[in-house]
Amino acid sequence: MSNSEDTGQQVRESEVDMNPPKRLRTTETLTGGKDREEEKSTVDVSIVMPVYNASCWLDDCLQAILVQDFTGSMELSVFDDASTDDSKKVVEGWRERLEAKGISVVISGHNSEQPKGVGYAKNKAICQSRGQYLCFQDADDIMLPQRIRLQYDASVLHKNSLIGCRVQRVPEGSTERYTRWINTLSQDQLITQVYTSHGPSVVMPTWFCSREWYQKVGPFDEGGKGVPEDLLFFYQSLRHGGRLFRVDQCLLIYRYHEKAATHSVTEETIWKLRVDFLQERVLSQWESFTIWNAGKQGRKLYRSLSPANQKKVKAFCDVDENKIQKGFYTYEESKERPKPKIPVLHYKNASAPFIICVKLDMTGSDLEENLNSLQLKEGIDYYHFN
């Protein structure tokens, strides 16, 4: 993640660019006088880009924006989150080229001693923008030339949706399992696999949505470092009945590096949010269920559940004979007397529905074959949690 500014120049927090966009919809003849100024300021798509110490990535990022093949009106809205490098200077250096292509540029930021976080910077960039649709762009990533055109078309067709796309991960081979998951989920799995440790099934760097939908769901959480603002927004979108759609083409080069903001979020923070959402959306609808995995992850899930949902766990199931032979799992930390004992069964002897706590794509397709052998349907008979 990234955000921008020249350290020698003061930037007011709410500063907005005073140059109107150069490619405006000609709405004056279609609207009355009182609406004219509002309509004139509208553009089709705002590229929303929070920037923090991103100078080494920005030339590639901005060059890719310059060559978009979208024929509607665009603007780039940048908010610098107290960068200490020359990010703002780099963005300013692209202003003339972008505006020559009809892409208006809005840059603002703040000079506090500490950054205020990705959520804050995104909200500010959106607030100062004018697009009817929002294309979220991380300053360290590179959009392919057709990204805005294809996601705009998809967003017009799929109302109230977060639109994503396939990605190319660089360096090649980094986060191989995660990248495969991003690119190969079916349309149904975009909805059913929202509880896994991978996070949003439509990944944030690929998001595209209408301003109207952002205003209904948002804003982003502004808690700052360590807050998964993307996952919180994603879950809130689903709570509002939002849909998910992925353009099945690679439209983004998604960069992996150690300075990415995602690394500041702890596994435990994500775990708790996932458990809470699973309980809210799935377990609240079930009278009982089986946890598939009698090992560490399955037991951790059990201990993380509310007392009411712990009582719904009728069994653990597994393929490991050593775990099965123990016969049951005793919840030693329980204050109940006698302490709860949950049976441990072979998966063939267990009954649906299941919460699957086995890592995806790590069993050489054994898990998938076992699930298929029981003729189970994802999203009805089971959900993946790991």
Side-chain angles (χ1 to χ4, degrees):
M1 182 49 60
S2 312
N3 297 292
S4 70
E5 155 186 320
D6 178 14
T7 55
Q9 181 173 357
Q10 294 293 314
V11 184
R12 294 194 308 276
E13 183 171 294
S14 59
E15 177 189 351
V16 294
D17 181 62
M18 300 306 294
N19 296 322
K22 296 193 174 181
R23 298 173 68 195
L24 295 172
R25 291 185 183 183
T26 53
T27 54
E28 290 106 304
T29 58
L30 304 176
T31 61
K34 67 177 182 179
D35 296 327
R36 191 168 298 160
E37 288 306 311
E38 182 180 344
E39 291 289 343
K40 277 176 66 178
S41 69
T42 299
V43 295
D44 292 322
V45 178
S46 293
I47 302 164
V48 175
M49 194 161 77
V51 179
Y52 177 68
N53 288 352
S55 61
C56 60
W57 318 116
L58 279 168
D59 283 333
D60 288 343
C61 177
L62 296 167
Q63 173 63 32
I65 292 171
L66 189 70
V67 298
Q68 289 297 297
D69 64 13
F70 179 62
T71 56
S73 53
M74 289 186 286
E75 73 173 354
L76 172 64
S77 179
V78 174
F79 187 85
D80 170 61
D81 193 20
S83 293
T84 57
D85 67 1
D86 63 347
S87 291
K88 181 174 180 294
K89 185 178 179 181
V90 174
V91 178
E92 285 287 4
W94 279 85
R95 181 190 288 273
E96 189 175 340
R97 279 170 283 181
L98 290 164
E99 292 185 340
K101 287 290 293 284
I103 303 170
S104 57
V105 179
V106 186
I107 306 171
S108 70
H110 69 95
N111 286 322
S112 302
E113 289 187 6
Q114 295 294 326
K116 296 187 178 182
V118 177
Y120 177 84
K122 284 176 185 167
N123 289 334
K124 285 293 187 181
I126 293 166
C127 186
Q128 71 190 15
S129 70
R130 294 167 286 195
Q132 291 187 322
Y133 290 86
L134 306 174
C135 176
F136 292 90
Q137 176 68 26
D138 287 358
D140 49 0
D141 296 334
I142 303 168
M143 60 172 74
L144 273 64
Q146 65 272 40
R147 179 186 174 187
I148 291 179
R149 172 172 57 84
L150 293 179
Q151 289 194 301
Y152 176 86
D153 289 347
S155 201
V156 170
L157 285 173
H158 300 274
K159 304 292 185 186
N160 303 339
S161 298
L162 292 177
I163 308 295
C165 63
R166 288 180 170 158
V167 301
Q168 176 189 339
R169 197 66 150 146
V170 293
E172 188 176 353
S174 59
T175 66
E176 188 172 353
R177 288 177 55 238
Y178 177 49
T179 305
R180 184 160 53 244
W181 180 80
I182 292 170
N183 289 336
T184 60
L185 288 175
S186 69
Q187 183 60 41
D188 287 340
Q189 286 173 327
L190 292 178
I191 296 296
T192 60
Q193 293 197 15
V194 298
Y195 310 101
T196 78
S197 57
H198 287 320
S201 51
V202 173
V203 295
M204 171 71 218
T206 71
W207 284 3
F208 192 108
C209 70
S210 69
R211 177 180 296 275
E212 183 181 7
W213 189 244
Y214 163 81
Q215 289 172 336
K216 180 169 184 175
V217 175
F220 288 100
D221 188 286
E222 296 186 358
K225 188 174 182 180
V227 173
E229 87 295 332
D230 56 343
L231 185 62
L232 290 168
F233 188 97
F234 182 75
Y235 283 168
Q236 196 65 7
S237 180
L238 294 174
R239 288 186 182 105
H240 278 83
R243 291 170 287 186
L244 304 170
F245 183 80
R246 186 186 65 221
V247 176
D248 281 336
Q249 286 182 238
C250 177
L251 303 179
L252 186 78
I253 297 173
Y254 182 16
R255 202 186 301 271
Y256 177 83
H257 58 90
E258 291 303 320
K259 292 182 180 179
T262 187
H263 297 307
S264 71
V265 182
T266 68
E267 187 177 324
E268 280 307 306
T269 296
I270 299 293
W271 174 276
K272 185 178 187 314
L273 289 169
R274 290 166 51 219
V275 170
D276 288 350
F277 200 59
L278 179 74
Q279 294 188 111
E280 173 190 331
R281 305 281 288 190
V282 177
L283 302 188
S284 64
Q285 306 300 311
W286 289 354
E287 292 183 2
S288 63
F289 63 98
T290 301
I291 295 177
W292 189 308
N293 185 354
K296 183 178 178 182
Q297 291 293 299
R299 296 194 304 268
K300 181 180 179 182
L301 173 61
Y302 174 84
R303 293 193 302 270
S304 301
L305 298 175
S306 68
N309 282 322
Q310 286 177 346
K311 285 181 165 50
K312 293 182 181 181
V313 179
K314 54 189 172 183
F316 290 90
C317 74
D318 215 294
V319 295
D320 187 332
E321 288 297 335
N322 291 327
K323 294 171 186 170
I324 295 166
Q325 285 173 7
K326 291 179 181 178
F328 53 82
Y329 162 70
T330 303
Y331 181 29
E332 297 290 354
E333 296 91 339
S334 177
K335 295 178 181 177
E336 287 187 36
R337 295 295 181 271
K339 294 177 180 178
K341 289 187 175 183
I342 298 92
V344 179
L345 309 174
H346 191 279
Y347 77 89
K348 289 183 178 178
N349 299 322
S351 56
F354 298 94
I355 297 297
I356 311 292
C357 288
V358 179
K359 287 184 179 180
L360 286 164
D361 200 17
M362 288 288 280
T363 63
S365 78
D366 288 349
L367 173 63
E368 291 78 3
E369 289 174 9
N370 292 340
L371 289 168
N372 288 336
S373 74
L374 299 177
Q375 297 183 313
L376 301 175
K377 181 171 176 57
E378 186 172 359
I380 296 176
D381 302 309
Y382 69 91
Y383 284 87
H384 284 286
F385 188 71
N386 269 29

